[in-house]
Amino acid sequence: MQLFKNIQHSIHHYSDRNAFFINGVFYKYIDFAKSIAAIRLAIEQSTSETDKIIGVITNDDLETYASIFALWFLGKAYVPINPDNPIDRNKNIIQQAGIHTILDSSAIPSITDIHLIETARLPETAINLTPNLISDEALVYLLFTSGTTGQPKGVPITRSNLTAFVTAFESIGINVHESDRCLQMFELTFDLSVFSYLIPLLKGACVYTIPKDKIKYSYIFELMEEQQLTVSLMVPSMLHYLRNYFNEINLPLMKYSMFCGEALPLDITKEWSHCLPNAAIYNVYGPTEDTIFCTQYAYDKNGENKTHHGVLSIGEAMEGTITIIIDEDINPLPVGEIGQLCLGGTQLTPGYWKNEEKNKEAFFYLQYNGLLQRFYKTGDLCKCDEKGDILYLGRIDFQTKIQGFRVELSEIEFHAKTFLGKRNVVAIAFPDLVGNTELGLVIESDEFDHSPLIDYLKSKMPIYMIPKLIVFSKDFPLNTNGKTDRKKLGLLFKDNLTEKVY
Ligand code: AMP
């Protein structure tokens, strides 16, 4: 509850300061407050008390952010719906989440067969930012991530989870101040966006967003230089794109440069650190299931850094988080041994949305320091050193990251197989020329025109999940266990024998 009072206080207190820079326009906290109040009233007037989970179409404008806060002050939760994603996927999310109302700031709404509140043209009203009294176990958001069975899976996050995150973040010692200018580079369906708008808004700072039609990395570069940003959280993929410009980048005003979402290589971090002579650099880590991020490692510019195979440590648990490393039989492993990282504590989701089967697979209880604790299996292969710092070794499953977006390779295979019928397919993650991860698809067949397949995949999955390259292989190689040898198939993408799909 206190968190929402703090948000209310900040919006009132900093009313004359800039809250957002969106598409070249500054908006003050007072503009934000007005937009929140108008949307809040419209929601109150046309939804019932029991309508707790509301869809928000993720546009890049003030009304979209105001919609989130209007819902929070009312004690409701939002489900971000990206209008650029396939309609089938969005409908699946609406149906799974049980959404009856959608808030949309678009001139022409994309989803119309549902109760719609058009947030861009609402009349002005008296400002009311008083948070409704509501249980800490009520939800703040429900995000859908790639699921192995072809259906996105919902991760609900409660008010107490979000409060725990903010408290833990504040204890790291990263001090965001009202004079800060903070980057918000994330699509609102990705939980790193919550960090990127909420932390600055709690402090009276200004949030700088990326217009949807801009090339992300070059716009980030422009913003950092022209608007003299002081705080940024990015996915490491952005560094790979920016690397060519490192010798032109000089950002002496940058105070904090944080990375999350993917492995952060030490070499590129070192090069990046020369572009930001006065910034502290952090590698933070965490899955959506554990509210934004939950471990942190401060990069040491002048000393030795902890790494595994050139990848920077993800550091130690933040306040309120418990980390353990387990073996295949869920036994906790001692320091130095390799196993699966599991997370417990105050930021942990109550469990996947209406998915008991997944919950049984992913969560378990274990005695920890004399208490029965609930843990989440991350699927990340890690080991811990004597100081409590965790080293990231890779995934134990077929999940990958595309520009920070979580992708289950089996979700791509599911849709490809649905379209191709009996043909065998394998989705592969492979490194591109700048060192980022790309997706490829191998089809067990003679060559054929694959454009109808790509069109089908585009109608089912977001654009970042569409394979960039397709290869045909007559017979899939098998490994010693008689299973398809994915490693060997991965080699097909090494030699550039492939054809670009889009
Ligand atoms: P998401 O739920 O989309 O945030 O994805 C969570 C997954 O991203 C984790 O389980 C890791 O595999 C990966 N991840 C997140 N942060 C880091 C990091 N700093 N270093 C390495 N992998 C990371």
Side-chain angles (χ1 to χ4, degrees):
M1 189 60 200
Q2 191 54 44
L3 173 63
F4 301 91
K5 286 193 180 145
N6 292 348
I7 300 172
Q8 175 193 19
H9 171 79
S10 178
I11 298 175
H12 274 305
H13 187 75
Y14 297 107
S15 63
D16 281 344
R17 296 197 67 88
N18 288 328
F20 285 95
F21 180 78
I22 302 176
N23 222 337
V25 179
F26 281 105
Y27 298 90
K28 292 193 182 299
Y29 276 83
I30 183 74
D31 303 319
F32 191 43
K34 285 180 185 166
S35 184
I36 294 171
I39 296 169
R40 177 180 184 159
L41 186 66
I43 301 168
E44 274 176 320
Q45 285 173 340
S46 67
T47 64
S48 77
E49 275 276 300
T50 53
D51 206 358
K52 293 284 188 208
I53 294 178
I54 309 276
V56 172
I57 300 289
T58 59
N59 293 319
D60 179 46
D61 55 25
L62 191 70
E63 291 82 8
T64 299
Y65 289 96
S67 297
I68 294 171
F69 285 79
L71 290 167
W72 285 356
F73 288 134
L74 283 169
K76 296 180 192 281
Y78 74 99
V79 181
I81 297 171
N82 183 347
D84 301 328
N85 283 351
I87 189 84
D88 271 9
R89 191 177 185 85
N90 286 341
K91 290 214 157 146
N92 180 293
I93 289 172
I94 289 168
Q95 184 251 327
Q96 280 199 59
I99 291 171
H100 302 299
T101 301
I102 285 183
L103 307 179
D104 191 350
S105 58
S106 320
I108 304 167
S110 52
I111 299 169
T112 47
D113 50 353
I114 196 161
H115 174 226
L116 200 68
I117 300 178
E118 293 187 51
T119 54
R121 280 177 293 276
L122 294 171
E124 215 174 285
T125 175
I127 291 177
N128 172 12
L129 306 181
T130 307
N132 286 356
L133 267 178
I134 197 106
S135 154
D136 281 345
E137 295 325 302
L139 303 187
V140 273
Y141 58 80
L142 172 59
L143 296 191
F144 282 81
T145 72
S146 177
T148 47
T149 55
Q151 281 219 20
K153 61 178 189 253
V155 182
I157 294 299
T158 65
R159 291 162 85 88
S160 73
N161 290 151
L162 190 60
T163 302
F165 168 76
V166 172
T167 310
F169 175 72
E170 285 178 347
S171 71
I172 299 178
I174 297 180
N175 299 312
V176 178
H177 183 260
E178 63 191 68
S179 60
D180 277 317
R181 296 174 293 279
C182 310
L183 179 68
Q184 197 310 70
M185 63 154 280
F186 299 102
E187 164 54 38
L188 290 169
T189 52
F190 191 178
D191 69 345
L192 295 182
S193 66
V194 182
F195 168 86
S196 305
Y197 66 73
L198 177 59
I199 296 295
L201 293 176
L202 271 167
K203 303 290 174 187
C206 187
V207 179
Y208 290 70
T209 71
I210 312 288
K212 288 202 175 191
D213 59 343
K214 300 283 187 217
I215 299 169
K216 229 179 222 174
Y217 72 90
S218 57
Y219 193 80
I220 289 175
F221 177 23
E222 263 172 56
L223 271 186
M224 283 183 166
E225 289 222 316
E226 288 168 17
Q227 300 297 327
Q228 304 190 321
L229 299 194
T230 56
V231 179
S232 68
L233 172 67
M234 297 196 283
V235 283
S237 301
M238 287 302 127
L239 279 189
H240 290 120
Y241 291 124
L242 285 174
R243 199 175 205 163
N244 282 340
Y245 308 95
F246 277 2
N247 54 6
E248 297 167 34
I249 303 179
N250 181 27
L251 306 166
L253 294 179
M254 185 68 81
K255 282 164 52 184
Y256 299 110
S257 169
M258 305 165 67
F259 292 93
C260 189
E262 297 163 314
L264 180 62
L266 174 68
D267 58 353
I268 203 163
T269 311
K270 211 176 248 172
E271 291 171 38
W272 176 239
S273 72
H274 299 309
C275 306
L276 328 159
N278 302 310
I281 298 178
Y282 285 84
N283 183 23
V284 295
Y285 157 95
T288 310
E289 288 82 345
D290 210 34
T291 315
I292 311 176
F293 53 81
C294 57
T295 77
Q296 58 88 17
Y297 180 83
Y299 168 76
D300 185 346
K301 261 187 186 173
N302 306 311
E304 282 286 299
N305 282 281
K306 295 182 185 180
T307 57
H308 180 85
H309 287 167
V311 168
L312 216 55
S313 164
I314 56 172
E316 57 182 12
M318 282 161 41
E319 192 183 294
T321 288
I322 309 166
T323 56
I324 55 169
I325 311 253
I326 58 161
D327 66 13
E328 281 172 1
D329 300 319
I330 316 197
N331 299 309
L333 290 169
V335 163
E337 290 207 17
I338 296 172
Q340 182 175 190
L341 177 63
C342 298
L343 305 168
T346 45
Q347 291 178 216
L348 194 58
T349 173
Y352 292 118
W353 186 248
K354 298 184 180 165
N355 196 335
E356 264 327 294
E357 202 182 317
K358 279 268 163 237
N359 284 335
K360 274 192 199 134
E361 278 171 30
F363 297 89
F364 64 95
Y365 282 88
L366 196 77
Q367 284 286 340
Y368 181 86
N369 280 351
L371 287 176
L372 194 62
Q373 293 278 358
R374 198 167 62 95
F375 286 93
Y376 166 68
K377 295 183 203 160
T378 61
D380 291 316
L381 200 62
C382 292
K383 66 179 179 183
C384 190
D385 73 7
E386 316 75 46
K387 294 257 167 67
D389 282 316
I390 300 162
L391 292 155
Y392 176 81
L393 279 67
R395 292 290 304 176
I396 60 171
D397 56 11
F398 300 114
Q399 188 188 104
T400 189
K401 283 301 193 92
I402 303 297
Q403 291 175 28
F405 287 105
R406 179 160 153 179
V407 173
E408 296 287 355
L409 294 177
S410 47
E411 184 173 354
I412 301 167
E413 291 164 3
F414 171 89
H415 290 299
K417 279 181 186 159
T418 306
F419 184 79
L420 293 172
K422 290 206 175 77
R423 285 201 184 98
N424 220 349
V425 294
V426 166
I428 299 278
F430 65 97
D432 70 4
L433 291 175
V434 293
N436 281 337
T437 305
E438 295 282 11
L439 292 170
L441 194 71
V442 196
I443 305 176
E444 195 174 38
S445 162
D446 286 326
E447 259 189 76
F448 59 85
D449 174 17
H450 51 58
S451 40
L453 167 67
I454 294 299
D455 289 343
Y456 177 78
L457 295 179
K458 283 185 181 167
S459 76
K460 295 289 169 195
M461 300 185 296
I463 202 75
Y464 61 83
M465 290 182 74
I466 308 300
K468 274 257 163 81
L469 298 166
I470 293 208
V471 186
F472 294 90
S473 163
K474 273 200 185 154
D475 293 301
F476 277 4
L478 301 180
N479 62 22
T480 45
N481 299 329
K483 289 186 179 168
T484 301
D485 194 332
R486 286 175 168 264
K487 270 201 185 138
K488 263 202 188 132
L489 287 177
L491 296 176
L492 293 170
F493 294 90
K494 256 191 147 181
D495 307 328
N496 223 8
L497 295 168
T498 43
E499 190 188 329
K500 205 156 181 133
V501 174
Y502 75 94

